């Protein structure tokens, strides 16, 4: 298994939310602003299209030494040689994914309860995506909001790093970091902003402060 | 690479067309009637659900020594250890799929023109699914019908076996076999019939006669 990935500012892509801008340019700008990891999520694309987009985005992430994570499709993650795989509770079971992914790919799992989080950790997840922390429109299937209280419980319950996802933005990122989260996963808070690089840089500033405060405690 | 699979009577599943009957029982009945290969196609299911169904159906196909083929999701094919993968023109490119699948899994490709068929053969496809031969309601994305004439051209143009798919039934299977096809792929012609085993057996009889006539030529 790889070292734990840097979840501090984790960009999850959704082309529909990038205001019509090409995804490669959007990812490049987000990385310039300080994004530490990029997840490609393509629920509507065919596998061929997903593969093509993954290779294009990978040319950007590799150039900047930022890990690329593929959502759900382990075959595409393997085909492009992505650094990570992210799976949800209704995706391929983690043990099956781990057998295929081997030790060179890290695997993150979505969790929204302490129980799911502990189960994911026991099954060998390398990190957790916990959300939706706040109500959000980005993911139609995200269900009821987890809230800051339960996010804090989950962060306290597990040893693996947690990325807080769902409705996290510059206005609440500092509060989120106080829960012990290793970082935040952001879609529209970066992708839907008029200046992607500046939006990422602004979030990164808040997160760096939050991380320093975590270390200080 | 494995020996060429037996395409003679190739059942492609679509749970929506099984008239509400459980898919495992439907597959069991179809195999009892003479189906030589089974493809699982789950475009709507989550990966977790697809994996679960694949394992259930595999318990049936293994018991009867009938190869199981997974549509599109190579990760699920690898996770369950399926005998084959079927990919369409918009799925993962064949060379990428082959690299991951290795030599133990056969790979079939959908083709609807001589050009696509030759390209798939050159790329190393183990068999072709060619269609829709006749207009059909089973696959919404199947496009315009290929027709018997072009099916014959494709069968003559390639060395790898061809399964004719799309609107093939007991009324036209004999005509289809005269094109040189190695067999037929059937969804509703088996799954939507009141007696699945009898429908498969009836088709198999016609195909056995057609295959003998091909050998006689």
């Amino acid at each position: 298994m790889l070292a734990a990935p840097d979840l501090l500012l984790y960009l999850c892509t959704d082309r529909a939310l990038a205001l019509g801008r090409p995804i490669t340019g959007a990812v490049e700008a987000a990385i310039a602003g300080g994004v530490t990891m990029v997840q490609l999520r393509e629920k509507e694309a065919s596998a061929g299209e997903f593969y093509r987009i993954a290779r294009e985005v990978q040319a950007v992430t590799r150039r900047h030494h930022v890990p690329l994570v593929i959502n759900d499709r382990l075959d595409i993650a393997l085909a492009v040689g992505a650094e990570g795989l992210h799976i949800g509770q209704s995706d391929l079971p983690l043990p099956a994914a781990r057998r295929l992914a081997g030790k060179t790919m890290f695997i993150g799992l979505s969790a929204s309860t302490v129980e799911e989080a502990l189960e994911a950790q026991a099954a060998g997840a390398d990190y957790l995506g916990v959300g939706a922390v706040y109500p959000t429109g980005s993911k139609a299937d995200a269900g009821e909001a987890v809230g800051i209280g339960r996010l804090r419980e989950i962060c306290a319950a597990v040893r693996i790093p947690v990325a807080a996802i769902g409705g996290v933005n510059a206005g609440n990122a500092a509060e989120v970091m106080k829960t012990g989260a290793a970082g935040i996963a952001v879609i529209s808070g970066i992708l839907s902003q008029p200046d992607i690089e500046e939006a990422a840089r602004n979030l990164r500033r808040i997160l760096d402060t939050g991380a320093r405060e975590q270390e200080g405690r």
Side-chain angles (χ1 to χ4, degrees), chain A:
Chain A
M1 238 163 288
L2 294 178
D6 183 356
L7 303 177
L8 190 63
L9 182 49
Y10 185 5
L11 174 68
C12 299
T13 64
D14 185 329
R15 282 183 293 157
L17 295 177
L19 311 182
R21 294 169 291 196
I23 194 69
T24 47
V27 167
E28 183 107 48
I31 292 173
V35 155
T36 56
M37 193 152 95
V38 175
Q39 179 186 135
L40 272 186
R41 188 168 179 275
E42 293 286 340
K43 286 294 186 192
E44 303 304 322
S46 67
E49 199 186 354
F50 196 169
Y51 176 73
R52 187 183 55 70
I53 294 166
R55 304 242 298 181
E56 284 174 15
V57 171
Q58 187 177 47
V60 177
T61 56
R62 287 225 164 135
R63 197 178 329 126
H64 297 282
H65 307 286
V66 165
L68 176 68
V69 178
I70 300 294
N71 184 290
D72 176 22
R73 296 278 317 218
L74 175 55
D75 45 3
I76 290 169
L78 289 167
V80 303
E83 285 75 19
L85 171 74
H86 189 91
I87 50 183
Q89 292 285 330
S90 62
D91 292 336
L92 205 56
L94 181 55
R98 179 67 77 194
R99 275 194 299 276
L100 295 176
K103 289 174 194 285
T104 60
M105 196 184 289
F106 58 81
I107 303 182
L109 212 72
S110 300
S112 58
T113 64
V114 171
E115 196 180 4
E116 283 179 358
L118 288 172
E119 207 179 316
Q121 175 177 270
D126 296 300
Y127 76 88
L128 298 177
V130 172
V133 179
Y134 302 100
T136 167
S138 294
K139 278 185 72 179
D141 57 349
E144 215 181 318
V146 162
I148 278 287
R150 202 196 296 163
L151 171 62
R152 186 179 294 114
E153 285 176 52
I154 292 173
C155 291
V158 297
R159 295 178 311 271
I160 53 178
V162 168
I165 186 163
V168 185
N169 56 42
N172 55 33
E175 177 188 39
V176 165
M177 289 302 280
K178 292 200 174 90
T179 64
I184 64 175
V186 177
I187 306 176
S188 58
I190 293 177
L191 277 189
S192 303
Q193 304 310 307
D195 188 331
I196 286 176
E197 182 177 335
E198 184 47 37
R201 182 168 295 124
N202 188 35
L203 281 167
R204 180 61 192 266
R205 216 165 4 225
I206 298 164
L207 297 169
D208 283 333
T209 304
R212 272 194 303 272
E213 286 175 1
Q214 283 184 1
E215 283 169 21
R217 271 187 298 181

